[in-house]
Each structure stands twice: as C-alpha cells, then as structure tokens.
Amino acid sequence: MNTLVIGSGGREHAIVRALNRSEKVNEVFALPGNDGMTEATLVEGIPVSEFDQIGEFCKENDIEWVVVGPEDPLSEGIVDTLEDKFKLNVFGPRKKEAQMESSKSFTKHLMKKYDIPTASYEVFTDKEQAKSYLENGNFPAVIKKDGLAAGKGVIIAQDLNEALNALDELMETDGEVVIEEFLDGDEFSLMVLVNGDTFTPFNIIAQDHKRAFDNDEGPNTGGMGAYAPVDYISENIIEEAVEKIVRPTVNAMVEEGLNYFGVLYLGAIITTDGVKTIEYNARFGDPEAQILLDLLETDFIDMLEGMKRKEPLALNFREEYVVGVILASEGYPGDYEKAKEIVIKKDLMKGIYVSALKHLENDIYESNGGRVLLAVGRGNTIEDAKNQAYRTLNEVKYDEKDFFYRKDIAYKA
C-alpha cells in the first residue's frame, strides 16, 4: 500500500522510517517532508493548509493511510476533510477531538469536571484580572497561553515580577491564559493509542528535556532531547497514570461526545500527592516519537489497522536503550538565523532524525528552523546509548557559534 505522512519535522521523519519498516508498505510520501527524509517521496507544491488538494493527491496516488504528525493541521480540521470528503483512513483526531491539545482551558475544564488529577488553575481573558490573581497568588506559578504554542507557550514564573512579564508576553493583544499551580516532581511522557472507548498505552515511557540549557535551566522549548526506557519510574507509577488519568480521560471524552482516534500524549508528573496531568497533546511528542518509534518492533500498519478495528494490541519494543540529543539553532526558542551550514556524512544519517535541514550538495546542508536534527544513540545500557548519541553529534560539522545542544540529556537515568 501507499501511505502519506503530513509534516516536516523529526517526528514525521520517525513516522516515515516506521512506515518504511512495514512489509505492507510500498511507498511512503511525505508532505512537505524535509531533505533528510530520503526514505520518502517528498510532495512539493501542496501547502499543508490546502486540505482539498491533499485529498485529491491521495486519490490520485492510491493512498490507503494518512498519518498526520503536527498539531496545527489537526486543530484546523484536516482529518474531518480527508475522512468526510475523500473517505480516507487517517491516523489522527478530528478538529473537535484535537481540542485536547488546541485548547488548554477545554482540557483543564474536562479534567476538573471528571476529577482527573491535575494542577489547580484559573482561566483568564482579562489581563487586569489575571494580574490581580497573580498579586494574591503563590509562587512559583505556571502561566500558559491557551491554544497551540509548539511547546513554548509556557512560562514558570518564580516571583511576581517574572509573572507579570510573562503575562505581558503571553497576552500581547487578546486571548486566553491559564494560570496553574506549580507542580514539583519527575516528569514523563506516556503515549496512548485511542479509538473512542478503547485504548492501548505504550508499554514503555520516555522522558523529555524541555528546558533549553543544562541543569534544566533557561526557557521552555519544544524539547531538547529524550530517552527511553525510563527505568527508575516503576511499573506501579505507570499503572497509576493509566488507571487514575488515562482511563478516566478516555471515559470522559466519550461522555462528552468526543470520538477520539489517534495518539493521546500524556505529559505526567510524579508529585507527593500521586501522579498528576501536566498536559495532553493530540499527537506524538517530538522528540519522544523519534525515541519510541525507533524502539518499536510492531508493524506500524498492523498497529493502525488493529486500532481502527478496536482489537487488543500487543505492542513490542526492542529491549534496548535509546537516547536522542537535539541540535538547535543559536537563539532558539527565541529569534534565530537560518541558512547556517552543516556537514553530515552519509553514513551518519542512520543515527539522525532530521527536523529542519535543506540539502545543498553532497554532504552539505543548511539549517531551516529552530531545532535542526536529533542525534540518536542505541545500546544495551543507558550509558552506551548516551555515549553513542554524543559521538554521532560530535561527527556533525558546523560553526559552534551557530548551534547549541544540551550536554546532560538522560542525566536522571
């Protein structure tokens, strides 16, 4: 069969590779893809926002499965169009269901209504009311912009001054902010396959590193690296997350008339009061997808079709460790320059997931985004995997003033 992956980042590169490993797949298309996705046929000239054109392309090229990677087209209703108008099989939630990510206030209200453990919160559309709330509140405080922000619309304010600056940044014109209680503890990411009232959690978790710099310092990013499995977080904790958070959430969505199909990403935190929800995403995490799909042995198409039929799924993963380290443009997640040269030898590419690179010639690329690539290492121990990831990254050639990476990925392991 032919398949189409929507998106252009490292997560989509991981999905492309996973589809390529399936014996049932003849050709993988990527729209728009990126120049590192040599395993896919890149689709040029059709914007991701032109859902009808994408549907026509799928019909012309006998696409049997569409996998939507990023959150933006999901929240804008790409699945609705491709399913309703073009009768396609699409992996990803429809617009209404994608609110689990696209509206933080929607999800917080859902969790409050159904007593799902999460941080206490208030939602504000009026800046003065938000200021007044902060002036009488406790710190640290978490301030989140409602809507999509690519993992960067969250500020942890240590005091009132930082909080007011965050408010100015996140409520520049109008809009909605969520102000939450700060939760302290170890975080982890759990991917859950959901189809309506049935769900299958991945039986392996990943841990992301959100802050830009070593020792978890600096601003929040879309993720600077990840690793799996996370051995020090016990099976009991995962079971608690499933029974107290995931199962009630799936039941709550059904109760609210949602028919979710796709990956529900749970960002969870282990507190002194038990496991609580930090956030939900309506798609695979990035960079967690690169790590988890790298380990996945189950045929990706078998997984999708089993989900579609609501069959019990037994997911298999390699018994190995994987560590991934992001190389980012200097200045990310703030302003950064593109078109900075990077040299990557061809034999290195098997250890790299490309996020934003443009191919110039031979082994020469240039940067085309904030996070440009993820170097992965694999091994029988976490130390072996970590060392290999950094060795791979050290073989990538670039001017050090143009890029940076964290040197402590997987330190909690």
Side-chain angles (χ1 to χ4, degrees), residues 111 114-118 190 199 236-252 266 273-277 280:
M111 289 190 281
Y114 291 91
D115 295 321
I116 296 163
T118 188
L190 177 63
F199 69 92
N236 290 340
I237 294 289
I238 308 308
E239 188 65 25
E240 182 182 343
V242 170
E243 293 306 321
K244 292 187 177 179
I245 297 177
V246 175
R247 190 180 302 280
T249 299
V250 170
N251 293 339
L266 168 64
D273 296 326
V275 182
K276 294 189 178 184
T277 313
Y280 275 119

Side-chain angles (χ1 to χ4, degrees), residues 209-278:
H209 297 64
K210 282 286 187 189
R211 297 300 190 100
F213 309 126
D214 287 1
N215 305 313
D216 291 326
E217 295 178 357
N220 260 19
T221 70
M224 292 299 296
Y227 71 96
V230 186
D231 287 343
Y232 79 92
I233 295 179
S234 71
E235 286 294 324
N236 290 340
I237 294 289
I238 308 308
E239 188 65 25
E240 182 182 343
V242 170
E243 293 306 321
K244 292 187 177 179
I245 297 177
V246 175
R247 190 180 302 280
T249 299
V250 170
N251 293 339
M253 288 194 294
V254 172
E255 195 71 24
E256 293 294 312
L258 303 179
N259 186 22
Y260 197 103
F261 180 70
V263 169
L264 189 65
Y265 163 125
L266 168 64
I269 186 166
I270 307 164
T271 75
T272 52
D273 296 326
V275 182
K276 294 189 178 184
T277 313
I278 298 175

Side-chain angles (χ1 to χ4, degrees), residues 86-335:
F86 296 95
K87 311 304 178 192
L88 292 162
N89 289 317
V90 189
F91 180 70
R94 294 164 69 91
K95 183 175 183 176
K96 184 179 177 183
E97 286 72 18
Q99 286 181 96
M100 292 297 292
E101 176 170 9
S102 65
S103 173
K104 292 179 180 66
S105 59
F106 172 88
T107 309
K108 292 296 284 191
H109 292 329
L110 182 87
M111 289 190 281
K112 186 175 186 178
K113 181 176 178 179
Y114 291 91
D115 295 321
I116 296 163
T118 188
S120 59
Y121 73 100
E122 293 291 340
V123 179
F124 297 93
T125 54
D126 183 282
K127 198 171 183 180
E128 291 307 313
Q129 288 180 1
K131 282 183 179 178
S132 176
Y133 179 81
L134 287 167
E135 285 166 357
N136 295 290
N138 298 316
F139 293 93
V142 181
I143 305 170
K144 297 180 176 180
K145 186 176 180 65
D146 197 45
L148 301 175
K152 300 183 284 291
V154 178
I155 295 173
I156 300 170
Q158 299 299 324
D159 53 38
L160 180 60
N161 188 51
E162 280 187 28
L164 296 178
N165 288 336
L167 211 55
D168 288 338
E169 182 180 330
L170 299 178
M171 290 186 88
E172 283 180 54
T173 50
D174 53 6
E176 202 167 60
V177 294
V178 178
I179 300 177
E180 287 186 1
E181 163 199 16
F182 174 75
L183 298 177
D184 194 21
D186 283 335
E187 298 180 24
F188 63 91
S189 307
L190 177 63
M191 304 297 157
V192 186
L193 305 174
V194 181
N195 185 358
D197 58 356
T198 64
F199 69 92
T200 301
F202 274 31
N203 50 359
I204 183 173
I205 60 170
Q207 194 167 62
D208 187 14
H209 297 64
K210 282 286 187 189
R211 297 300 190 100
F213 309 126
D214 287 1
N215 305 313
D216 291 326
E217 295 178 357
N220 260 19
T221 70
M224 292 299 296
Y227 71 96
V230 186
D231 287 343
Y232 79 92
I233 295 179
S234 71
E235 286 294 324
N236 290 340
I237 294 289
I238 308 308
E239 188 65 25
E240 182 182 343
V242 170
E243 293 306 321
K244 292 187 177 179
I245 297 177
V246 175
R247 190 180 302 280
T249 299
V250 170
N251 293 339
M253 288 194 294
V254 172
E255 195 71 24
E256 293 294 312
L258 303 179
N259 186 22
Y260 197 103
F261 180 70
V263 169
L264 189 65
Y265 163 125
L266 168 64
I269 186 166
I270 307 164
T271 75
T272 52
D273 296 326
V275 182
K276 294 189 178 184
T277 313
I278 298 175
E279 64 176 352
Y280 275 119
N281 291 331
R283 36 73 194 181
F284 282 114
D286 183 345
E288 296 97 326
Q290 292 91 302
I291 305 306
L292 295 170
L293 295 182
D294 197 275
L295 284 166
L296 182 68
E297 287 187 320
T298 299
D299 185 291
F300 200 83
I301 293 296
D302 286 346
M303 184 179 80
L304 298 190
E305 295 189 336
M307 275 180 68
K308 191 80 174 173
R309 293 189 295 264
K310 293 191 175 184
E311 294 173 354
L313 290 176
L315 300 178
N316 296 313
F317 295 86
R318 281 199 325 277
E319 291 188 8
E320 201 173 24
Y321 292 87
V322 175
V323 174
V325 183
I326 288 280
L327 183 70
S329 298
E330 186 62 43
Y332 173 81
D335 295 334

Side-chain angles (χ1 to χ4, degrees), residues 327-329 339-345 348-349 352 354 356-373 393 395-399 402-404:
L327 183 70
S329 298
K340 298 296 182 179
E341 188 175 289
I342 299 182
V343 179
I344 310 172
K345 291 180 180 175
L348 269 190
M349 274 299 186
I352 287 173
V354 173
L357 287 178
K358 185 178 178 183
H359 185 234
L360 299 180
E361 59 178 359
N362 301 322
D363 297 335
I364 303 172
Y365 297 80
E366 65 179 19
S367 61
N368 196 32
R371 296 183 298 172
V372 297
L373 61 83
L393 196 54
E395 289 187 47
V396 177
K397 304 302 177 190
Y398 53 86
D399 192 321
D402 295 331
F403 301 96
F404 75 100

